[in-house]
Amino acid sequence: MKSLCIGKGSYTRRHRGFTLVELLVVIAIIGVLIALLLPAVQQAREAARRTQCVNNLKNIGLALHNYHDTFQKLPYLGFDNWNGDMISVFGRLLPFVEQPAMYDTLDFNVRANGGNNRLYRTTPLDIYSCPSEQVTLGETTTDLNWSHQRYSYAVCVGNTNYRQENANNWDGLWTYNNGGSAFQMGTKIHGLGSITDGTSNTVMVSEVPMNQNTSGWQGMYAAGIYASGAGFTGYLTPNTKASVDGGRRCWNPDDYLQKIPCHNNGDNWGTATFAAFSMHPGGVNASNFDGSVSFVPETIDIWAWRARTSTQGGEVIGQ
């Protein structure tokens, strides 16, 4: 048998690696692909967070309706002679959001930061927190005597201010007292029947911003465990950076994920005009009194928004 012999002139295959230029080109291409993909991933995540936020608002709306069916009125907003430290609407809703054990610990005869209310003040609840926000515990101390959770949602208290006063010319625009809130404030007892503008045309709950500072007082905005932190008004449009009222302490703009200007004019919470505010690009989610939830663009006409946040104004709501 003859053997096959490979001589000197035979072909030898050599393996050649990538050059530096080729590697750099590949890395550049991968970088471009990641840059193109990242916004899509972020948008998908935000869409999922917004969906969860909508679900939270729907469940809060359902809880408010169940409360109304049980007591034939909407929850007491919490003001007792305009005492803003009382337990808020959200504390009164606890049995209707699957938190009966926490509700049983509440002492409604003292301020929210007194008595047996520590569990209520310090426990974060997913239903009250939009996933686009960062949940924080305000005034964090070793003994937790003054600590308080911040919430992402607040009930609508009309289109003027907390005290539902005539708010003419605070920002050069005229508005009016239109019946204000459908929630019980002081001795006023209201229910769904008081909403003569129609439950599908009137905003019940929307979003508010969480203060990210864990130390110090930092004001009532979104401190939803308290009565004076559980409401917003329609005097200003959603996601506004304006500040015209005297109902807040001065805060650091950096305390919020989106900067809000500092405005210090004392502690007269009755004049507060806390606006609806969210971390969602372009607007806020809002639940109407019929339980429906919609996205309200921050570019909404101020008069259209004030019409939607009144209960008895008789305005014609544009489509």
Side-chain angles (χ1 to χ4, degrees):
M1 178 182 293
K2 294 182 179 180
S3 61
L4 179 62
C5 183
I6 301 176
K8 293 182 180 180
S10 63
Y11 172 76
T12 302
R13 186 175 182 180
R14 300 177 61 188
H15 294 280
R16 185 177 68 87
F18 288 107
T19 67
L20 178 60
V21 173
E22 290 171 332
L23 285 173
L24 292 175
V25 170
V26 170
I27 292 172
I29 292 173
I30 293 173
V32 170
L33 292 175
I34 292 175
L36 293 174
L37 182 61
L38 188 59
V41 172
Q42 292 175 335
Q43 289 176 3
R45 288 178 176 175
E46 171 55 23
R49 291 191 291 262
R50 185 184 294 183
T51 298
Q52 181 58 51
C53 183
V54 169
N55 289 336
N56 287 347
L57 283 167
K58 287 182 177 179
N59 287 327
I60 292 172
L62 179 62
L64 285 165
H65 274 263
N66 288 336
Y67 184 103
H68 188 274
D69 291 344
T70 301
F71 298 106
Q72 303 304 303
K73 63 181 180 180
L74 290 166
Y76 181 47
L77 187 60
F79 283 108
D80 181 13
N81 295 322
W82 303 108
N83 183 348
D85 289 340
M86 301 299 289
I87 292 172
S88 75
V89 166
F90 296 105
R92 298 169 192 273
L93 279 184
L94 288 176
F96 301 93
V97 293
E98 301 181 354
Q99 294 292 331
M102 185 183 296
Y103 180 81
D104 289 340
T105 68
L106 296 182
D107 183 353
F108 288 96
N109 296 314
V110 299
R111 302 192 314 180
N113 54 349
N116 297 321
N117 298 325
R118 177 177 295 188
L119 184 66
Y120 166 62
R121 290 188 292 102
T122 60
T123 304
L125 297 175
D126 288 343
I127 190 173
Y128 293 156
S129 303
C130 174
S132 292
E133 279 278 8
Q134 294 180 12
V135 180
T136 56
L137 182 67
E139 291 191 277
T140 302
T141 59
T142 302
D143 55 19
L144 299 180
N145 283 336
W146 291 90
S147 300
H148 57 277
Q149 285 293 331
R150 280 115 179 201
Y151 293 161
S152 297
Y153 308 106
V155 299
C156 182
V157 296
N159 71 2
T160 57
N161 54 29
Y162 264 83
R163 200 156 43 220
Q164 301 170 47
E165 296 174 318
N166 185 306
N168 287 352
N169 294 318
W170 282 2
D171 58 356
L173 296 174
W174 182 88
T175 188
Y176 50 85
N177 186 329
N178 53 29
S181 178
F183 294 88
Q184 181 184 354
M185 304 178 74
T187 59
K188 300 175 183 178
I189 299 177
H190 289 159
L192 295 177
S194 68
I195 306 169
T196 58
D197 285 349
T199 56
S200 63
N201 295 328
T202 306
V203 174
M204 174 173 59
V205 184
S206 190
E207 300 179 77
V208 286
M210 284 190 182
N211 194 305
Q212 299 299 306
N213 193 320
T214 60
S215 63
W217 173 229
Q218 306 302 325
M220 280 291 195
Y221 213 169
I225 67 164
Y226 298 107
S228 54
F232 81 95
T233 79
Y235 187 75
L236 300 170
T237 51
N239 287 352
T240 181
K241 301 299 178 67
S243 176
V244 297
D245 64 83
R248 64 184 75 180
R249 290 180 185 268
C250 190
W251 50 57
N252 185 335
D254 293 329
D255 287 347
Y256 293 88
L257 297 179
Q258 290 191 30
K259 294 184 179 181
I260 301 174
C262 174
H263 181 89
N264 185 10
N265 193 20
D267 294 325
N268 182 11
W269 299 110
T271 66
T273 60
F274 297 150
F277 203 99
S278 84
M279 286 301 298
H280 307 303
V284 298
N285 290 312
S287 172
N288 293 323
F289 276 98
D290 67 349
S292 63
V293 178
S294 60
F295 188 74
V296 180
E298 59 193 35
T299 55
I300 186 173
D301 177 77
I302 189 169
W303 294 109
W305 180 237
R306 288 177 176 176
R308 288 191 60 183
T309 51
S310 73
T311 58
Q312 302 172 16
E315 307 95 340
V316 176
I317 306 296
Q319 298 300 320

